[in-house]
Amino acid sequence: MKRVLMLAGDYTEDYEVMVPYQALQVAGVGVDVVCPDKAAGDAIRTAIHDFEGDQTYSEKPGHNFVLNASFQYLRLEQYDGLFLTGGRAPEYLRLNPRVLDMVHYFMDLKKPVAAICHGVQILTAARVLKGKQVTAYPAVRPEVLAAGGIFMEKEPYEAVICDNLVTSPAWPGNVEILRGFLKLLGVTAL
């Protein structure tokens, strides 16, 4: 069975943690969801971001998501891939040096990495995007370009695969980012 490490935090976008967490398990992939400074059994608060015609997304309270693994006890060699959730959490998760080390571990070994929406901010902070084609929420474009990445304009329901990395602009892209991530993992969906 393949195992994936999923990184989330308070105000992760609800659909960008819950949907991938459940869908990957349906496909037979084990998923451990962690957050710095929290342990298995602790909850994170999520936010629901929606596109309602405003200049940016709206934000509403989401659900409490219970973590099933502890950040401090991680052994990265147990995992076949990394999934970076979006929402507001990446803006502070990227400040954690261990989070950046985790990204380097997966990227350096060319293990599958998925990043949705603002999750790409963690990749820009880790400086692993030079020359890579990625997409993200449009407001992340300047960071992608500053980190040497190639920003691909995509619809919210699309995804981009570049080498071992798959990215999508927002939760409407869950199907495509998951399809790409499973392909990179070598898992055939049911």
Side-chain angles (χ1 to χ4, degrees):
M1 173 193 282
K2 299 281 184 170
R3 287 187 71 197
V4 168
L5 179 62
M6 184 177 287
L7 185 63
D10 285 322
Y11 300 102
T12 285
E13 207 293 325
D14 191 89
Y15 295 167
E16 293 171 5
V17 64
M18 186 60 77
V19 173
Y21 173 71
Q22 292 174 336
L24 288 167
Q25 289 181 89
V26 167
V29 176
V31 184
D32 287 345
V33 186
V34 299
C35 174
D37 302 320
K38 294 196 182 219
D42 290 345
I44 58 170
R45 298 180 77 172
T46 70
I48 295 173
H49 293 157
D50 212 348
F51 308 98
E52 301 175 299
D54 300 311
Q55 291 178 325
T56 190
Y57 54 84
S58 63
E59 184 171 88
K60 298 168 184 71
H63 301 91
N64 287 334
F65 183 91
V66 178
L67 303 168
N68 64 349
S70 299
F71 185 84
Q72 81 176 80
Y73 300 116
L74 289 176
R75 291 190 5 236
L76 298 181
E77 64 275 5
Q78 295 178 332
Y79 298 100
D80 300 294
L82 175 66
F83 196 103
L84 303 172
T85 61
R88 288 196 355 244
E91 67 189 36
Y92 68 85
L93 292 175
R94 64 186 169 167
L95 302 176
N96 184 307
R98 184 155 184 233
V99 166
L100 301 182
D101 288 344
M102 289 167 46
V103 169
H104 281 280
Y105 173 84
F106 287 95
M107 292 298 288
D108 290 350
L109 293 176
K110 299 195 183 328
K111 290 187 174 195
V113 175
I116 191 162
C117 196
H118 287 77
V120 173
Q121 289 179 312
I122 296 171
L123 300 174
T124 63
R127 296 271 188 227
V128 295
L129 294 182
K130 188 171 180 85
K132 293 200 178 294
Q133 294 180 342
V134 298
T135 191
Y137 188 72
V140 181
R141 178 187 186 136
E143 293 175 60
V144 169
L145 297 175
I150 302 163
F151 190 86
M152 307 296 291
E153 295 282 343
K154 292 293 178 183
E155 295 295 327
Y157 55 84
E158 295 181 301
V160 171
I161 296 177
C162 182
D163 301 325
N164 65 312
L165 179 62
V166 59
T167 55
S168 183
W171 61 259
N174 271 332
V175 169
E176 290 305 314
I177 196 170
L178 287 164
R179 188 184 325 267
F181 193 47
L182 288 170
K183 180 180 178 182
L184 292 173
L185 285 168
V187 174
T188 303
L190 301 173

